[in-house]
Amino acid sequence: MNDYGLKIPKTGSLDFLALGALVHRLDPGVVPFRKATECRIHVSGGEFNCAANLADCFRLQTGIATALVEYPIGDLIAERVRAMGVKPFYKRFKHDGVRGPNHAIVYSDRGFGVRPPVVFYNRSNEAGALLKPGDFDWKSIFAQGVRWFHSGGIFASLSETTGPLIIEAMQAAKAAGAVTSFDLNYRQKLWDVWGGQDRAVAVMREIVQHVDVLVGNEEDLQKGLGLKGPDVHATSQLDPAVFISMMDTVVKTYPQIRVVATTLREVLSTNRHRWSAVAWINGKVYQAPTCELDVYDRVGGGDGFASGLFYGMLTGRSPEDCVRLGWAHGALLTTTPGDTTMVTLEQVEAFARGGSARIQR
């Protein structure tokens, strides 16, 4: 047993396997969509982002279990999955040429200064929402050796079948000896479509019974799991006191959980944030330093933190190092466009040690 209280398998053909939907984000930069004339396309998905980051930056062997639609957008997405070095396990869907099923579109401008980013969706007839228990042969997937399994609240929110699929996968992961993690990622807009907060709490409470490592802030814990806690707006957004005060409730409700972690972010303006992170690891609290970020694109920063944290644990780093690596990678990810990493392990290690932005020659 390590300092995290987790039994992480030492070896496996996959260090990390995620289950979630693949989407594409249209990004017009600082121009609002109502005036946009062009967009970048970023391939994303809260669960996929972690697998991509761990493969591309952290050089681990990762996989994604997901839906893939056989049409040009699916081809674009599959190319990006390959480019990030992630091994796919696809449930394939045929597109009818008109209505789908589709890969969801996330529309997200970057905002600027006092104008915040605006995010909205077209998740109509989304292939990921059609995924259900029985779609993946978990026994054969986990028989290859999987050290860590991950999913999240965004995927859980997509339909009545995605939550049960996550539970099926979690049970297979536990039976195979893998560590399980879940990012609550509570998204009010997604849950409101088919049941609201009450449904979210019912679904995610059932999932979290199978989880070892939980990612989410105090608002996620309150709204996504229905746990009682202090007013989330009562203190500074960089003060971990509210988060820490909820750990007793988390552990009493879910005694198998060994790690709960979150980022801490104070938004001064769209392009200027104060950034930290905190984790409760096997009964002790660890906090990262606070830095000021010049933000280019904030989307994916939380997944960047989770990826670095998981990497630290998968490679046996100290709890302090795990939190710092997550904090550093999340910070660096906000300096580049897109939802997945463009930075190197060397850059993350240097920043985690207290590196600066001085030019590297």
Side-chain angles (χ1 to χ4, degrees):
M1 193 72 71
N2 46 43
D3 290 341
Y4 336 124
L6 300 171
K7 293 181 180 177
I8 305 173
K10 294 276 192 259
T11 59
S13 65
L14 287 178
D15 296 301
F16 182 90
L17 174 68
L19 167 66
L22 287 167
V23 307
H24 58 305
R25 176 163 72 98
L26 301 186
D27 169 19
V30 299
V31 180
F33 267 97
R34 63 185 294 269
K35 294 291 184 180
T37 56
E38 58 185 9
C39 296
R40 284 180 167 176
I41 302 174
H42 307 299
V43 171
S44 181
E47 300 80 16
F48 166 71
N49 293 344
C50 290
N53 295 341
L54 283 165
D56 186 78
C57 173
F58 294 104
R59 304 167 190 167
L60 298 184
Q61 299 298 314
T62 75
I64 178 78
T66 189
L68 188 76
V69 184
E70 295 177 347
Y71 73 139
I73 297 299
D75 296 340
L76 179 155
I77 286 171
E79 186 278 331
R80 185 52 32 190
V81 173
R82 287 193 300 273
M84 295 303 287
V86 178
K87 180 178 181 178
F89 299 88
Y90 289 136
K91 166 73 173 177
R92 293 179 179 272
F93 293 84
K94 298 275 189 192
H95 194 278
D96 69 7
V98 181
R99 294 164 300 179
N102 306 295
H103 283 284
I105 307 170
V106 180
Y107 302 89
S108 176
D109 69 48
R110 285 208 299 271
F112 192 84
V114 295
R115 176 169 53 85
V118 175
V119 179
F120 55 102
Y121 307 91
N122 181 356
R123 304 196 85 123
S124 179
N125 198 5
E126 178 183 2
L130 302 176
L131 292 172
K132 62 188 185 304
D135 279 347
F136 298 95
D137 184 351
W138 296 118
K139 193 169 184 181
S140 70
I141 291 172
F142 283 104
Q144 302 173 38
V146 177
R147 302 175 64 205
W148 190 296
F149 175 79
H150 177 71
S151 195
I154 292 177
F155 185 56
S157 74
L158 297 186
S159 73
E160 294 187 18
T161 59
T162 54
L165 175 58
I166 293 170
I167 291 168
E168 178 189 74
M170 291 264 184
Q171 289 172 333
K174 299 299 285 183
V179 168
T180 56
S181 61
F182 189 77
D183 190 332
L184 288 166
N185 260 336
Y186 181 76
R187 297 289 187 271
Q188 186 81 41
K189 289 179 185 176
L190 298 180
W191 287 105
D192 277 350
V193 174
W194 65 287
Q197 188 181 344
D198 288 346
R199 180 60 67 91
V201 169
V203 171
M204 293 213 273
R205 274 181 174 172
E206 195 172 350
I207 292 169
V208 171
Q209 293 173 24
H210 306 279
V211 170
D212 302 314
V213 178
L214 191 63
V215 180
N217 61 26
E218 55 270 23
E219 190 168 7
D220 291 325
L221 294 169
Q222 290 182 28
K223 292 187 174 180
L225 290 179
L227 299 179
K228 300 295 183 191
D231 181 355
V232 296
H233 303 294
T235 58
S236 162
Q237 290 165 305
L238 290 173
D239 183 354
V242 175
F243 173 84
I244 294 165
S245 72
M246 293 188 69
M247 288 306 100
D248 281 346
T249 305
V250 172
V251 175
K252 281 175 185 169
T253 313
Y254 304 101
Q256 85 287 353
I257 287 179
R258 288 291 169 265
V259 178
V260 189
T262 187
T263 58
L264 302 170
R265 187 196 305 253
E266 184 178 2
V267 178
L268 305 177
S269 78
T270 293
N271 312 99
R272 190 74 172 169
H273 297 179
R274 290 198 182 102
W275 171 264
S276 187
V278 62
W280 178 95
I281 300 176
N282 203 23
K284 295 182 180 178
V285 174
Y286 303 89
Q287 186 170 1
T290 298
C291 66
E292 293 217 352
L293 294 182
D294 292 303
V295 176
Y296 184 81
D297 182 351
R298 70 169 283 169
V299 179
D303 297 328
F305 163 73
S307 307
L309 178 78
F310 299 163
Y311 166 76
M313 293 180 177
L314 281 161
T315 54
R317 303 288 287 267
S318 71
E320 295 93 338
D321 281 354
C322 294
V323 176
R324 275 182 169 260
L325 287 164
W327 165 80
H329 184 249
L332 289 166
L333 198 144
T334 69
T335 69
T336 58
D339 307 41
T340 54
T341 193
M342 291 188 178
V343 300
T344 66
L345 178 56
E346 290 76 17
Q347 289 171 323
V348 174
E349 293 273 14
F351 192 73
R353 289 194 302 267
S356 73
R358 289 180 60 123
I359 190 167
Q360 295 178 358
R361 298 186 187 275

